[in-house]
Amino acid sequence: MDLLIKNICCIGAGYVGGPTMAVIADKCPEIKVNVVDINKERIESWNSFDLDRLPVYEPGLDKIIERCRGRNLNFSNNIAHTIASADMIFISVNTPTKKKGLGAGQASDLKWVEASARQVAKYAKGHTIVVEKSTLPVKTAKVIQNILKTSKQNSNKNEPTFEVLSNPEFLAEGTAIKDLELPDRVLIGGENKHAIDALSSIYEKWVPKQKILHTNIWSSEMAKLTANAFLAQRISSINSISALCEKTGAEVKEVAHAIGTDSRIGKKFLSAGPGFGGSCFKKDILNLVYLYKYYGLDEAADYWSGVLKINNWQKKRIANYVIDKLNGTVSDKKITILGFSFKANTNDTRESPSIDICLDLLEEGAILSIHDPKVDENQIRLEFEERNFKNDTKWTFNSKIDENFQDSHAVIILTEWDQYSDLDWFKIEKLMLKPAWVFDTRMILNLDTIKKSNINFWRLGKIINENKLTPN
Ligand code: NAD
Ligand code: UGA
């Protein structure tokens, strides 16, 4: 059997499909990589001449798109034709939590994965390797295999054949290109040696062979969910410690550093913050919880639910802390929000802690002035509307950062964008109403500078003795 892959199709041009395929195209100029999507606007943006208009912001992505687009990387809505000419198809579509029906609020909604499998079954020709790139509940490969098998039996075209592999993606947003170019590992789950070798040979163009792990297909699906659950668990653990630090005089940054030097614990993923966001941690843990319940393993379901419970509590307690420090009321008070993306270096706002914290303050009557270097006003509106908050008169967005501080009672740093770490607080202080407050939920501000200003300052995970209550 010919192992050489010449034509790749990726279904789904999102945060994973776009950057992943761009890197494959860059590293394998001999392979044609075609990314397809049902969303016309998204494809138009991927094809935009203005690289600032790419639908995904990732450092380094624009350069790769510039190099490869039109050479061996193409974006289109031509799904049927692209599937027909591919010898390997990546399914990289969204797998959000189900909103209604059986398992609503926990199970992953696999309708986009199923639809992709049906498109593959309908249009594929010859022998096609189908690769699960999306994060999926364990056993989904069986669903895909069944769709492909059944359609084959019903079809009268020239009998395509399929192999299904699992190849979950571990990139993090904001560092996607680095993660794809220098991955800790590439995971391939499957049984068929030819198919596994074909996929491995693509990664071997730039990833050392010993970093390409092979497992059975269920272990691969399970490992992806487990990795995200463990990462989220670490964040909830350190966030729970941050609250105790604030009561006792310990400093969470120092505690994290002290425990992180233990090589068994390791130093990564120990930054306390306003709670984890992003499209995946919550949905993947909910999915695990659903699987545990499905198999009657309720104690384990409760254990992992606890990680989400702490995450919600962290967001809530930050909003409550701000309200408390502003004399128990934020009604009609202007508050400046710095950062709306769920982490720095991405324009993604899905499940951003900023959403819940802003909505809690809006609910209390605050008037918000929001800034983010990569998120636009429309995206913020969509997030608020999604949570049924539709009052546009209570918040504004201003991309000119300095204009957000005028007459503000408080500033809350919610995303760790670099530019927020060295703001001129002496200048800002003059614009704000007194007593002025800064709440740093990302622990990025220079304490020496802020302490010299007349602004009251709170840092997550640390007791601060505020006494600068100078009235206006
Ligand atoms: P996304 O929503 O950004 O992109 C998914 C795309 O798939 C959308 O553009 C959508 O229009 C398209 N799509 C849906 N159904 C389609 C169909 N039938 N035919 C063609 N296109 C279709 O999602 P994402 O963030 O890229 O995530 C994709 C998957 O990867 C999810 O399972 C996610 O859990 C997983 N994942 C995401 C990340 C991340 O950082 N975002 C990292 C690792 C894994
Ligand atoms: C995460 C994982 O890191 C990726 O390996 C995985 O592929 C991806 O989910 C996925 O499956 O979607 P991502 O959500 O893009 O990546 O970003 P992270 O860096 O993991 O951050 C997630 C959230 O946790 C952010 O809100 C971030 O601010 C927060 N975080 C992260 C902390 O609060 N503290 C930390 O120490 C690290």
Side-chain angles (χ1 to χ4, degrees), residues 59-105:
L61 176 63
D62 50 353
K63 292 274 176 302
I64 300 181
I65 297 291
E66 200 171 24
R67 267 200 300 276
C68 303
R69 199 176 53 189
R71 182 189 77 185
N72 65 329
L73 176 65
N74 292 295
F75 295 90
S76 82
N77 300 112
N78 196 345
I79 297 176
H81 171 78
T82 307
I83 289 177
S85 56
D87 23 47
M88 181 174 278
I89 298 174
F90 288 83
I91 297 181
S92 192
V93 298
N94 35 322
T95 51
T97 306
K98 264 182 106 171
K99 286 194 174 146
K100 50 185 182 185
L102 199 67

Side-chain angles (χ1 to χ4, degrees), residues 135 169-173 224 228 231 235 239 269-273 275-281 284 342-343 353 416 442:
T135 303
E169 185 47 63
F170 295 99
L171 70 79
E173 288 178 30
K224 172 64 197 176
N228 274 1
L231 291 169
I235 301 170
N239 283 345
F269 259 70
L270 286 179
S271 297
F276 56 76
S279 62
C280 295
F281 282 172
D284 292 347
F342 78 96
K343 62 185 279 195
E416 73 284 21
R442 293 286 188 171

Side-chain angles (χ1 to χ4, degrees), residues 319-320 322-335 358-368 391 393-394 407-410 433:
N320 287 345
V322 171
I323 296 165
D324 184 50
K325 287 294 154 194
L326 298 187
N327 307 323
T329 175
V330 289
S331 185
D332 291 330
K333 289 182 178 164
K334 180 175 168 184
I335 298 180
C358 284
L359 286 175
D360 275 353
L361 296 172
L362 287 166
E363 184 68 27
E364 292 282 331
I367 296 163
L368 305 184
N391 190 344
T393 63
K394 293 291 179 189
D407 294 333
S408 192
H409 290 259
L433 297 182

Side-chain angles (χ1 to χ4, degrees), residues 282-295:
K282 181 175 163 193
K283 96 167 155 62
D284 292 347
I285 290 180
L286 284 171
N287 193 217
L288 266 188
V289 168
Y290 177 75
L291 288 171
Y292 278 119
K293 287 194 176 156
Y294 178 83
Y295 288 108

